[in-house]
Amino acid sequence: MADVELTGDDARFRRDVSDWLAEHVVGEYAELKGRGGPGDEDIGFDVRVAWEHDLGKAGFIGLGWPVEFGGRGATLQQQIIWGEEYARAQAPARVNHMGENLLAPTLIAYGTGEQQQRFLPGILRGDERWCQGYSEPNAGSDLANVATRAQLDGDDWLINGQKVWTSLAHVSHWCFVVARTDPSSARHQGLSFLLVPMDQTGVEVRPIVQITGGGEFNEVFFDDARTEAGLVVGEVDDGWRIAMGLLGFERGVSTLAQQVGFERELDHVIELARAADRCEDPTLRQRLVDAWIGLRLMKWNAMRSMAAKGVPGPEASISKLFWGSWHRDLGNLMIDVLGPQGLVGDALPYELTLEQKLFLFSRSDTIYGGSNEIQRNVLGERVLGLPK
Ligand SMILES: Cc1cc2nc3c(=O)[nH]c(=O)nc-3n(C[C@H](O)[C@H](O)[C@H](O)COP(=O)(O)OP(=O)(O)OC[C@H]3O[C@@H](n4cnc5c(N)ncnc54)[C@H](O)[C@@H]3O)c2cc1C
């Protein structure tokens, strides 16, 4: 807990970021207040990219990364303060969660100096966006079943195969791809973690329209796609270790950034309940309070994992299980607060309200990043030591 105590510096930091946000969330950025979150990713994308550049210039990307990697080395408390102020300012939703919060910590933990120098600055400037090429038609929960192949061809890896559910692949410059580099291997062995440029003829991205009407994720086909031989993170054939290290970041501490959006959504649900005079309904009131408590628990747990430092272990599954279920329940609560009118669309089939989009998108929270069932398996087997 000592790591997260308030200091005078923190009060100054809060003032500084709150002033900066007040000064900068104006004009077209202010028009996107509260927009671009789950289920709403297509909204104002170009403006949000410009916003990302502004954040980069002002040093608000990579806040918690160590200074030697171009970050600010901000303390835990400062990262939380930034999140709180960001939510309060209703600044537009970010566009490069996977670059900043998943790939960058993975490169810092496992990448070579050359890879760090090449890729971290592009993320810090808000110039290079990343997507995650893990899942395939026959490798979701069972990720070790990856069938995408990569073989060395001169100075390049030649990649063939298909990924699916690749979030934001259509707007990404790079993809981190788990591919089988030892053709004679099976399961977790013989996989490598490759960094692959998206802008090439061997990569085809096909959007998938989701229940929200938006196309947040995609199928990605690799047909003799290429990447440089040196763009493998960790050892060749040891990609499983790197892929799992990244999932630790995805399931654990990176949720601090996500909680910024959760906070804003919960505030919105509470406003809706007040506006509809529904706070006196004891059942609804109990659910609102439960949601509020859940968010505090999430925050304290994320802080605890961050204070522990290093690559998060299987305990990150607790965090994923908790936030996935919490956010799905918030989606339900949002629609219940609205009552029957929440079910009426603005213009069918797909002019949905923000609340409806959130409700529909939140059905996926217990699936992506590892489903609830899989998290329970991990906790049962690897944390509690129960039999398979
Ligand atoms: C919105 C969204 C965004 C996504 N973004 C990405 C992305 O950017 N990149 C990426 O690589 N992937 C992404 N995914 C894919 C996601 O990681 C997979 O959907 C997830 O891992 C589950 O795999 P699956 O869909 O193949 O389901 P399956 O693995 O086929 O599972 C189907 C059902 O069976 C259950 N099940 C499976 N195995 C077991 C078991 N051993 N024990 C108990 N129950 C089990 C699962 O819990 C689930 O309920 C995204 C998914 C969603 C919904």
Side-chain angles (χ1 to χ4, degrees):
M1 294 300 294
D3 280 13
V4 295
E5 267 171 19
L6 280 169
T7 66
D9 286 350
D10 294 335
R12 201 168 320 116
F13 181 77
R14 188 184 288 281
R15 234 184 1 258
D16 288 351
V17 296
S18 140
D19 288 352
W20 189 89
L21 286 163
E23 203 178 307
H24 288 83
V25 183
V26 292
E28 54 184 1
Y29 299 146
E31 284 168 28
L32 285 179
K33 274 192 174 186
R35 300 305 303 264
D40 194 38
E41 292 85 358
D42 299 337
I43 300 294
F45 196 81
D46 293 343
V47 176
R48 284 162 51 220
V49 168
W51 172 243
E52 195 75 10
H53 286 140
D54 287 1
L55 288 174
K57 274 190 213 126
F60 287 122
I61 301 180
L63 213 58
W65 305 2
V67 175
E68 63 266 36
F69 295 105
R72 277 208 193 186
T75 62
L76 256 181
Q77 188 60 37
Q78 288 172 341
Q79 291 175 67
I80 306 245
I81 289 171
W82 165 247
E84 287 170 352
E85 293 304 321
Y86 199 92
R88 192 163 299 141
Q90 294 193 52
R94 304 286 300 278
V95 291
N96 194 21
H97 164 67
M98 286 185 236
E100 182 186 10
N101 301 312
L102 304 188
L103 181 77
T106 305
L107 283 183
I108 289 171
Y110 304 105
T112 61
E114 208 172 307
Q115 289 166 350
Q116 290 159 352
Q117 278 161 24
R118 175 156 173 194
F119 293 112
L120 297 179
I123 298 173
L124 283 170
R125 286 193 305 270
D127 281 345
E128 286 184 348
R129 293 183 294 279
W130 286 81
C131 61
Q132 178 176 30
Y134 278 29
S135 304
E136 299 183 0
N138 288 315
S141 303
D142 189 15
L143 185 61
N145 206 30
V146 158
T148 294
R149 298 177 319 281
Q151 66 187 81
L152 274 177
D153 178 44
D155 292 337
D156 288 341
W157 290 102
L158 199 61
I159 305 154
N160 282 285
Q162 183 197 345
K163 297 290 172 180
V164 72
W165 320 130
T166 322
S167 296
L168 303 176
H170 57 301
V171 288
S172 292
H173 304 92
W174 287 86
C175 185
F176 44 93
V177 174
V178 177
R180 196 161 294 284
T181 39
D182 175 358
S184 65
S185 67
R187 311 293 304 160
H188 313 79
Q189 265 90 45
L191 298 169
S192 297
F193 189 101
L194 303 175
L195 309 176
V196 181
M198 294 295 280
D199 185 15
Q200 56 171 309
T201 48
V203 175
E204 188 193 344
V205 177
R206 294 188 201 157
I208 300 174
V209 177
Q210 289 164 259
I211 196 173
T212 51
E216 179 262 7
F217 58 30
N218 306 269
E219 293 178 291
V220 179
F221 295 86
F222 298 98
D223 184 10
D224 281 347
R226 286 181 177 270
T227 197
E228 292 164 33
L231 294 187
V232 51
V233 181
E235 298 296 318
V236 173
D237 296 342
D238 191 29
W240 184 257
R241 194 170 62 91
I242 313 300
M244 291 303 107
L246 181 138
L247 280 187
F249 293 117
E250 178 171 22
R251 290 172 186 168
V253 294
S254 87
T255 53
L256 261 190
Q258 190 183 35
Q259 286 166 23
V260 174
F262 290 174
E263 184 93 48
R264 193 170 57 203
E265 288 162 2
L266 177 59
D267 286 348
H268 183 57
V269 177
I270 294 170
E271 273 166 30
L272 289 174
R274 288 202 172 116
D277 226 2
R278 304 215 46 207
C279 288
E280 297 311 311
D281 174 335
T283 316
L284 211 60
R285 192 166 57 187
Q286 184 66 44
R287 286 170 66 194
L288 288 167
V289 172
D290 275 347
W292 189 90
I293 292 170
L295 191 56
R296 260 77 215 152
L297 287 176
M298 234 183 280
K299 249 189 201 171
W300 285 102
N301 264 318
M303 286 162 75
R304 187 165 61 172
S305 318
M306 286 178 84
K309 301 201 168 63
V311 178
E315 71 279 5
S317 291
I318 298 175
S319 156
K320 169 72 220 308
L321 186 58
F322 191 84
W323 74 250
S325 308
W326 181 91
H327 198 237
R328 175 205 53 200
D329 293 347
L330 187 76
N332 288 345
L333 181 56
M334 174 95 78
I335 279 297
D336 288 346
V337 162
L338 290 171
Q341 95 182 48
L343 304 178
V344 180
D346 277 355
L348 292 174
Y350 273 135
E351 287 305 312
L352 301 175
T353 62
L354 200 57
E355 293 82 10
Q356 288 164 339
K357 284 188 192 173
L358 176 83
F359 165 67
L360 292 172
F361 191 88
S362 68
R363 311 312 298 173
S364 70
D365 288 316
T366 55
I367 302 172
Y368 70 86
S371 69
N372 273 14
E373 291 79 7
I374 294 304
Q375 305 311 328
R376 290 194 174 99
N377 283 349
V378 171
L379 289 171
E381 291 164 20
R382 286 194 241 152
V383 179
L384 300 176
L386 298 173
K388 270 190 185 294

